[in-house]
């Protein structure tokens, strides 16, 4: 590709070591699409005749055919990268005409374009898969009906919430993950072709036409930036990373809640494994791997930032290092998502046990203090008085509802009979009656709204597909 200037051969081990073909070969379909678009632009600019264009397009198709027919075809010990591979194969198929394709273009714009096409496809794939998981969470939320569970802060029982409310929290996280990807896609979806090596191509190519042909919203605005930045790779990877962090929290909760200690749910055997030593065990391996792989995705995003930091403009070979973390993040996430969805679909909650956990443990204490606030007691005083009542109950191993009015009046004289109805689970849930709160009516509204948003997200995914 560039031997003219050189008088000495490369050290063979260096030559092998710097190649990216072993991993960038997966970009071949994008490289071929981009090459077709460039070839057409060359023909429109008069650099290729109509006949030459025809042979070139046939040869590019043939390369694609051979690659899908046999993985062996890509076992090329000489290609430096996917761009070099296509050029070599073109020359093998159509002789010197093959070398004309590189007129007016640089590998710097090619790799930037291939990566944008790759990231765009990866986003579209996740946008298809994520709504399936949201749908399963919504179905589980609906199935849970009015059943409640403890909500935790500091991993201590805090207040009761509907199980549906807890599940909808994950739906919100995933909805933001989808939005982040949608937003990232807008910045990805611009076409670097025509940027040349750094200063713009040397042939008057119709960049808008090239962009249109590849389904981009338009050409990138600056050739130095377009060839020299990979922020879109980083943006995609950090969006994927946040998704992985959300899934790791889900996995952690499912692991905890399925322990004998919690007993809130049964994990499906199809997604668990046994112990080779202890016959009684089922281990939550799927969940543990989801939690563990989040660490690797964080590592990939960190590696990308490290490679980008302080790079002078524009293209530097360091940028080749952005490919493997990107590919690994994409592979990891796309393998993991359908498994998470299938596992969540098969989970069975023990509503009875969750509900009884929700009804004990003084989780009505804030509601009890609110009763006093309604009688005009300043909240800080009410907090202290109910705190004293809880301590009193703990000594007697009873609940607030077990105290007589006389006992309660040691803490505040304004307790009346209606206090007891404030302590029931139903009432405690019911007073959180604000949008976004856990009162059953509010959760119903939230569920309906989440379903509508899911439908529009599916519509968006289809529009891109
Ligand atoms: N394989 C290279 C990469 O991934 C392609 C661009 C090479 N450009 C260059 N000037 N050496 O970054």
């Amino acid at each position: 590709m560039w031997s003219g200037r050189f008088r000495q051969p490369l050290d063979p081990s260096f030559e092998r070591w710097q190649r990216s073909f072993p991993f960038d070969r997966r970009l071949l379909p994008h490289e071929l699409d981009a090459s077709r678009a460039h070839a057409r632009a060359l023909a429109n600019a008069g650099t290729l005749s109509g006949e030459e264009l025809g042979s070139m397009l046939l040869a590019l198709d043939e390369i694609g055919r051979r690659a899908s027919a046999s993985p062996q075809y890509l076992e090329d010990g000489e290609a430096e990268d996917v761009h070099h591979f296509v050029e070599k194969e073109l020359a093998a198929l159509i002789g010197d005409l093959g070398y004309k394709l590189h007129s007016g273009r640089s590998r710097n714009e090619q790799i930037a374009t291939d990566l944008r096409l790759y990231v765009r496809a990866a986003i579209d794939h996740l946008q298809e898969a994520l709504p399936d998981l949201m749908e399963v969470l919504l179905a589980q939320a609906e199935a849970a009906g009015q059943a409640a569970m403890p909500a935790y802060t500091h991993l201590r029982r805090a207040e009761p919430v509907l199980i549906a409310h807890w599940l909808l929290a994950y739906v919100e996280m995933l909805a933001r993950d989808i939005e982040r990807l949608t937003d990232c896609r807008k910045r990805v979806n611009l076409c670097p072709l025509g940027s040349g090596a750094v200063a713009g191509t040397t042939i008057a190519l119709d960049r808008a036409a090239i962009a249109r042909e590849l389904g981009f919203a338009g050409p990138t605005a600056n050739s130095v930036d377009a060839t020299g930045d990979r922020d879109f790779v980083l943006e995609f990877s950090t969006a994927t990373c946040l998704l992985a962090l959300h899934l790791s929290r889900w996995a952690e909760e499912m692991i905890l809640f399925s322990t004998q200690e919690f007993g809130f749910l049964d994990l499906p055997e199809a997604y668990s494994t046994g112990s080779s030593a202890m016959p009684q065990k089922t281990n939550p391996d799927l969940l543990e791997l989801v939690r563990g792989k989040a660490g690797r995705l964080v590592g990939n995003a960190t590696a990308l930032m490290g490679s980008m930091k302080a790079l002078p403009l524009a293209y530097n070979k360091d940028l080749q290092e952005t490919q493997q973390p990107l590919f690994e993040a994409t592979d990891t996430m796309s393998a993991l998502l359908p498994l998470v969805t299938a596992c969540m679909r098969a989970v069975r909650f023990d509503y009875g046990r969750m509900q009884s956990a929700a009804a004990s443990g003084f989780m009505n204490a804030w509601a009890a203090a609110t009763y006093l606030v309604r009688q005009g007691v300043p909240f800080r005083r009410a907090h202290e008085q109910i705190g004293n009542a809880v301590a009193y109950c703990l000594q007697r191993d009873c609940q607030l509802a077990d105290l007589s009015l006389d006992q309660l009046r040691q803490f505040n004289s304004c307790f009346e009979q209606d206090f007891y109805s404030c302590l029931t689970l139903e009432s405690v849930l019911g007073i959180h009656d604000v949008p976004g709160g856990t009162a059953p009516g509010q959760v119903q509204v939230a569920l309906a709204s989440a379903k509508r948003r899911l439908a529009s997200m599916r519509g968006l995914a289809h529009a891109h597909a």
Side-chain angles (χ1 to χ4, degrees):
M1 275 182 300
W2 33 256
S3 55
R5 148 90 181 69
F6 280 68
R7 294 294 167 265
Q8 288 189 355
L10 294 190
D11 175 336
S13 47
F14 162 62
E15 196 283 317
R16 266 195 310 279
W17 175 76
Q18 55 93 45
R19 283 183 206 163
S20 53
F21 194 55
F23 51 85
D24 72 12
R25 64 179 70 175
R26 68 157 77 198
L27 297 173
L28 183 69
H30 305 306
E31 175 72 9
L32 292 174
D33 285 342
S35 292
R36 288 185 193 98
H38 181 68
R40 290 203 178 90
L42 285 177
N44 286 338
T47 309
L48 290 180
S49 71
E51 203 182 316
E52 286 176 323
L53 173 65
S55 325
M56 187 98 71
L57 293 176
L58 282 177
L60 288 168
D61 289 348
E62 179 58 23
I63 295 173
R65 234 188 327 273
R66 289 187 186 183
S68 28
S70 153
Q72 222 60 36
Y73 179 58
L74 295 176
E75 292 308 323
D76 183 317
E78 275 166 27
E80 181 179 319
D81 55 24
V82 65
H83 325 293
H84 184 208
F85 175 78
V86 170
E87 184 167 300
K88 265 171 24 102
E89 291 305 303
L90 271 183
L93 286 168
I94 53 176
D96 259 9
L97 171 59
Y99 293 129
K100 282 201 175 183
L101 182 60
H102 210 56
S103 314
R105 81 171 177 174
S106 155
R107 285 185 295 156
N108 297 355
E109 61 179 320
Q110 285 171 258
I111 186 60
T113 305
D114 293 356
L115 286 177
R116 280 174 184 264
L117 290 170
Y118 177 88
V119 171
R120 189 179 72 183
I123 292 175
D124 292 348
H125 175 74
L126 291 181
Q127 303 270 40
E128 289 277 334
L130 274 167
D132 292 343
L133 176 54
M134 289 171 74
E135 193 163 307
V136 165
L137 288 163
L138 288 175
Q140 289 279 20
E142 205 149 39
Q146 305 283 303
M149 66 184 282
Y152 298 83
T153 64
H154 313 268
L155 202 53
R156 265 77 173 153
R157 285 185 190 179
E159 289 188 279
V161 292
L162 290 192
I163 296 172
H165 194 58
W166 165 68
L167 289 167
L168 283 170
Y170 284 105
V171 171
E172 287 306 316
M173 295 175 224
L174 296 177
R176 283 196 301 279
D177 290 325
I178 291 186
E179 275 169 28
R180 261 186 285 275
L181 290 168
T182 305
D183 200 48
C184 169
R185 194 184 192 281
K186 289 182 212 148
R187 284 177 288 277
V188 169
N189 199 26
L190 294 168
C191 184
L193 286 187
S195 297
V198 61
T201 175
T202 50
I203 299 173
L205 301 176
D206 182 348
R207 294 194 62 208
I210 300 176
R212 221 177 301 119
E213 185 174 336
L214 292 170
F216 284 114
T220 49
N222 179 291
S223 60
V224 178
D225 172 52
T227 52
D229 206 350
R230 296 288 183 272
D231 59 353
F232 65 93
V233 173
L234 199 44
E235 202 176 333
F236 170 72
S237 301
T238 45
T240 310
C241 193
L242 281 171
L243 166 60
L245 294 182
H246 286 151
L247 295 178
S248 76
R249 298 184 75 176
W250 166 81
E252 169 69 5
E253 289 211 302
M254 299 302 277
I255 293 170
L256 267 178
F257 290 170
S258 65
T259 56
Q260 269 171 317
E261 284 71 11
F262 277 83
F264 285 179
L265 56 93
D266 271 333
L267 288 178
E269 286 192 359
Y271 302 103
S272 310
T273 60
S275 156
S276 61
M278 297 164 280
Q280 84 283 10
K281 290 196 77 188
T282 61
N283 294 330
D285 287 32
L286 181 141
L287 301 167
E288 291 169 307
L289 285 173
V290 168
R291 194 173 58 181
K293 281 178 195 292
R296 287 217 293 171
L297 290 170
V298 173
N300 289 328
T302 311
L304 287 169
M305 287 190 251
S307 297
M308 294 280 303
K309 180 185 172 290
L311 274 191
L313 302 187
Y315 179 82
N316 298 269
K317 188 99 165 190
D318 314 43
L319 292 177
Q320 185 168 286
E321 289 297 309
T322 59
Q323 294 186 32
Q324 284 160 300
L326 167 67
F327 297 153
E328 193 181 276
T330 319
D331 290 344
T332 303
M333 190 45 86
S334 53
L336 168 161
L337 260 186
L339 289 170
V340 166
T341 303
C343 176
M344 190 56 183
R345 186 179 291 122
V347 164
R348 290 292 159 260
F349 291 101
D350 186 336
Y351 300 132
R353 217 178 133 111
M354 293 172 96
Q355 173 97 2
S356 55
S360 57
F362 299 101
M363 285 194 294
N364 50 10
W366 192 8
T370 304
Y371 171 87
L372 293 179
V373 167
R374 275 202 228 101
Q375 319 291 315
V377 180
F379 179 72
R380 203 40 69 211
R381 297 267 164 270
H383 185 286
E384 190 186 351
Q385 289 156 4
I386 297 294
N388 286 330
V390 167
Y392 182 82
C393 286
L394 283 171
Q395 276 165 8
R396 283 160 185 75
D397 196 19
C398 69
Q399 301 285 318
L400 288 172
D402 299 327
L403 300 181
S404 67
L405 274 182
D406 282 344
Q407 286 172 312
L408 284 166
R409 284 177 183 153
Q410 310 167 69
F411 305 105
N412 189 312
S413 59
C414 67
F415 281 111
E416 296 296 339
Q417 194 60 37
D418 60 352
F419 174 65
Y420 296 102
S421 63
C422 293
L423 297 177
T424 62
L425 178 58
E426 213 181 4
S427 160
V428 176
L429 289 167
I431 56 167
H432 295 86
D433 193 12
V434 287
T438 198
Q442 299 286 356
V443 174
Q444 209 140 51
V445 171
L447 194 60
S449 138
K451 279 190 192 166
R452 279 196 302 277
R453 280 187 290 153
L454 176 62
S456 79
M457 281 169 179
R458 280 214 192 274
L460 189 72
H462 287 145
H464 288 149

